[in-house]
């Protein structure tokens, strides 16, 4: 049995882009804020102008269990199975005889990102950011890896014959100080995408002094929820178990993800301490705790039905929603929502979550920042560099890595 709690926030405000510093518009007291990155705007040749941010009559509904009522999944989830609504995942055997994603499937994922740039991303730039030169926006190239120790296709877990892979990039340092780690989780609607797509961002961020990893997870066509969360947590535990080998600081782990990957990253962070989400993987003696998290335009209050094969509002669908867990008092490390300016009125990507965080009294650990780029900006240059500037500032503050 459930009840709906309506959180109503009435707020109308305006700000202008001026100078070369981000303008912060306070939504909540404390450190929670919405920031519009004027510096990035000006850097891309956008004119200074006034912007009205209407948050009038916002009604945010979240669902929470009545006291004494347990979720039907209180004891755990059914074993993950392939989604009947998702495309199948093409696997092949590697040299060791284990099943891995086929090279062709990775190429198809890369082709979809290139197609997205032309058919959706650039048209949105021209529509919402006409001051920007859309001809200068490209798929971000993979940087050279000089100065880095590169470890790709590391097996972090095995599910039967299926081997799960991650890539790890380590800055070379003369001193012996252990490195903070930032884990990247790709998007793709829970049904598509490849961890290789985030290699350019992970390599570029490693060159800023952070160890980085881009992690493969099982898509819905291979195994539905909560398989992706099992995988993310298994990767975290594996990285902690091997922290000494790679000179990582096990007490300074952050995570970020885009779109569906943002949902997975935040869900991985907020379900720390909930054994239902750990899965049956290895290294269960290691912690899956994340010290801080950045959601890049991640889905917080909805997920696609193929991930659960269930309907919105169902008990199982609710378990996939970070908003649901936060509203019910989950663990919450410092969090940054880094979202698109053109979706500033859409509450599903973090703005609504800020109201829930306020309701549970944890607003001091949450921030919301908008940048002038459409959905998927981590894939594309020059927007990727702007996003990494924000990640460097946030993770530097919370993981102890000094930023320039």
């Amino acid at each position: 049995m459930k009840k709906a709690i309506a959180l109503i926030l009435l707020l109308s405000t305006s700000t202008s882009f001026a100078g070369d510093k981000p303008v912060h518009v306070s939504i909540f007291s404390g450190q929670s804020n919405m920031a519009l990155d004027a510096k990035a705007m000006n850097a891309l040749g956008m004119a200074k102008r006034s912007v009205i941010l209407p948050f009038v009559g916002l009604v945010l509904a979240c669902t929470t269990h009545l006291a004494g009522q347990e979720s039907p999944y209180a004891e755990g989830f059914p074993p993950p199975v392939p989604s009947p609504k998702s495309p199948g995942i093409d696997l092949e055997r590697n040299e060791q005889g284990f099943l891995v994603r086929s090279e062709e499937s990775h190429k198809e994922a890369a082709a979809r990102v290139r197609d997205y740039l032309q058919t959706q991303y650039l048209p949105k730039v021209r529509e919402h950011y006409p001051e920007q030169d859309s001809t200068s926006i490209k798929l971000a190239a993979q940087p050279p890896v000089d100065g880095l120790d590169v470890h790709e296709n590391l097996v972090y877990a095995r599910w039967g014959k299926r081997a799960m892979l991650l890539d790890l990039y380590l800055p070379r340092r003369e001193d012996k100080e252990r490195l903070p780690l930032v884990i990247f989780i790709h998007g793709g609607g829970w049904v598509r995408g490849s961890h290789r797509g985030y290699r350019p961002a992970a390599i570029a961020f490693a060159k800023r002094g952070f160890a980085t990893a881009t992690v493969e997870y099982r898509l819905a066509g291979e195994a539905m929820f909560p398989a992706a969360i099992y995988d993310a947590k298994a990767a975290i535990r594996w990285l902690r178990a091997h922290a000494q080998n790679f000179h990582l600081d096990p007490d300074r782990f952050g995570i970020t993800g885009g779109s569906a990957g943002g949902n997975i990253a935040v869900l991985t962070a907020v379900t720390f301490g909930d054994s239902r989400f750990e899965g049956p993987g290895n290294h269960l003696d290691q912690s899956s705790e994340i010290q801080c998290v950045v959601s890049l335009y991640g889905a917080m209050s909805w997920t696609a039905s193929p991930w659960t094969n269930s309907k919105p509002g169902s008990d199982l669908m609710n378990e996939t929603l970070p908003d649901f867990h936060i509203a019910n008092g989950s663990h919450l490390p410092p969090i940054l929502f880094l979202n698109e300016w053109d979706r500033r009125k859409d509450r599903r990507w973090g703005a609504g979550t800020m109201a829930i965080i306020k309701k549970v009294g944890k607003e001091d650990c949450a921030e919301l920042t908008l940048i002038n780029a459409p959905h998927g900006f981590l894939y594309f240059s020059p927007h990727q560099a702007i996003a990494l500037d924000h990640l460097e500032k946030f993770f530097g503050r919370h993981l102890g890595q000094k930023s320039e």
Side-chain angles (χ1 to χ4, degrees), residues 133-255:
D133 178 9
S134 62
T135 64
S136 69
I137 298 171
K138 311 289 183 184
L139 183 68
Q142 183 164 309
V145 294
D146 55 296
L148 303 179
D149 290 326
V150 177
H151 305 272
E152 292 179 340
N153 299 317
L154 296 172
V155 177
Y156 72 82
R158 292 191 181 99
W159 307 112
K161 285 290 185 179
R162 175 68 159 103
M164 305 303 300
L165 308 180
L166 63 79
D167 302 328
L168 186 61
Y169 305 98
L170 307 173
R172 293 177 190 152
R173 298 178 59 156
E174 293 183 1
D175 60 44
K176 299 300 181 181
E177 182 181 352
R178 292 201 176 202
L179 294 164
L181 172 71
V182 175
I183 297 165
F184 286 75
I185 307 292
H186 72 85
W190 301 274
V191 299
R192 293 185 174 89
S194 165
H195 73 292
R196 294 184 185 179
Y198 272 1
R199 280 178 174 176
I203 292 170
F205 203 57
K207 292 202 161 195
R208 299 183 182 219
F210 297 80
T212 61
T214 177
V215 173
E216 174 188 40
Y217 60 88
R218 286 170 291 173
L219 302 173
E222 183 176 359
M224 291 188 293
F225 171 88
I229 311 303
Y230 291 169
D231 295 343
K233 288 177 181 280
I236 294 165
R237 296 193 306 266
W238 186 91
L239 287 160
R240 277 210 169 92
H242 294 84
Q244 185 170 356
N245 298 2
F246 297 114
H247 222 60
L248 303 175
D249 186 341
D251 296 323
R252 292 192 292 168
F253 277 25
I255 193 169

Side-chain angles (χ1 to χ4, degrees), residues 272-293:
F272 171 67
D274 188 336
S275 61
R276 299 176 302 156
F277 289 88
E278 288 295 333
N282 296 329
H283 303 295
L284 291 172
D285 59 320
Q286 299 291 324
S287 171
S288 64
E289 183 176 11
I290 286 295
Q291 276 65 56
C292 51
V293 56

Side-chain angles (χ1 to χ4, degrees), residues 38 42 143 179 186 223 230 236-237 250 270 275 316 327 332 335 339 345 364-365 388-389 396 398:
N42 294 337
L179 294 164
H186 72 85
Y230 291 169
I236 294 165
R237 296 193 306 266
V270 302
S275 61
L316 187 58
L332 185 65
I335 184 169
N339 290 352
K345 298 178 183 179
D364 286 349
C365 72
L388 294 182
D389 287 343
H398 293 289

